[in-house]
Amino acid sequence: GTRFYGEGEGYHTFIGRDNSRAFASGKFDEVSDEVLDLFLEEVKMVTGWLDFYHKHKTYTKVGVAQGKYFDCNGVPTVYRQQVMDKAATDLQPSLDETILKRQQFCHISSNVTHSTLTCKEGRFPRLLRYKNGQAGGCICPDAYGLRDLETSTMTVEQYPSCEGQEPVCVIRSEER
């Protein structure tokens, strides 16, 4: 309820709009419904939650958000079918996807003033960035995993206020 979706709370960004990209990336200030350019595992995460809510007895469907996935009559769009088709594939993963599978993603809790990034002990929050400039979200590498993440298409950056190798980091809103 209000504790999670109320004004200023971490999940407020999901109310009344499709914010699938933020759901997959964990970057809640990145409001977008674009997911086809995400990794296969991230797309599967989005469609997996769609399936979860569709089958759940407590959550009742009240409608759809008109836009990229449904037209004004509630009819699924071609884009939605492309997302579902991508999620249904079991292609050989790229080198980057294989490397990322071995990583853990941060637990992120956000409000209006800050985000708290949390990793398991021995791991630390870092921003995965693709060399095309696109942010890939918060990951939790250990010291050895950092070397694997430096590939021809991706790199890892330290968040400005996350110095050292502490498992918890707080980022102010203006730093996001």
Side-chain angles (χ1 to χ4, degrees):
T2 308
R3 187 170 56 129
F4 298 103
Y5 294 93
E7 186 72 39
E9 298 302 328
Y11 295 125
H12 185 72
T13 186
F14 295 107
I15 295 176
R17 65 177 147 228
D18 187 296
N19 199 358
S20 298
R21 185 175 202 86
F23 176 79
S25 71
K27 295 188 77 165
F28 294 170
D29 57 336
E30 209 175 82
V31 178
S32 175
D33 53 6
E34 179 66 46
V35 298
L36 275 177
D37 62 330
L38 295 174
F39 284 119
L40 179 59
E41 290 301 317
E42 292 170 313
V43 173
K44 285 184 176 198
M45 183 170 58
V46 171
T47 59
W49 276 104
L50 176 68
D51 188 50
F52 168 81
Y53 286 116
H54 180 73
K55 293 177 180 175
H56 203 281
K57 293 179 181 166
T58 304
Y59 297 100
T60 305
K61 180 179 176 180
V62 294
V64 296
Q66 178 185 341
K68 195 168 262 211
Y69 298 95
F70 295 94
D71 69 14
C72 62
N73 297 312
V75 176
T77 63
V78 170
Y79 185 86
R80 182 182 189 278
Q81 189 57 52
Q82 290 171 332
V83 170
M84 300 306 281
D85 289 346
K86 180 173 182 173
T89 62
D90 280 327
L91 300 175
Q92 182 69 28
S94 70
L95 172 63
D96 289 348
E97 288 179 314
T98 302
I99 290 169
L100 286 175
K101 271 188 171 180
R102 294 192 309 251
Q103 297 301 320
Q104 297 174 8
F105 289 88
C106 304
H107 171 74
I108 302 172
S109 58
S110 298
N111 63 33
V112 175
T113 62
H114 68 278
S115 292
T116 302
L117 313 175
T118 307
C119 296
K120 291 181 179 179
E121 194 65 40
R123 296 178 174 270
F124 37 91
R126 292 295 184 262
L127 175 63
L128 177 68
R129 186 171 300 279
Y130 297 96
K131 293 195 176 164
N132 66 7
Q134 177 186 354
C138 183
I139 61 168
C140 297
D142 58 19
Y144 300 104
L146 281 173
R147 289 186 306 241
D148 289 345
L149 290 164
E150 297 291 334
T151 70
S152 62
T153 60
M154 62 186 179
T155 188
V156 177
E157 297 175 9
Q158 185 169 304
Y159 285 98
S161 54
C162 295
E163 296 189 22
Q165 296 184 356
E166 296 299 319
V168 178
C169 175
V170 177
I171 299 177
R172 295 183 309 277
S173 295
E174 59 271 11
E175 295 177 321
R176 290 189 242 176

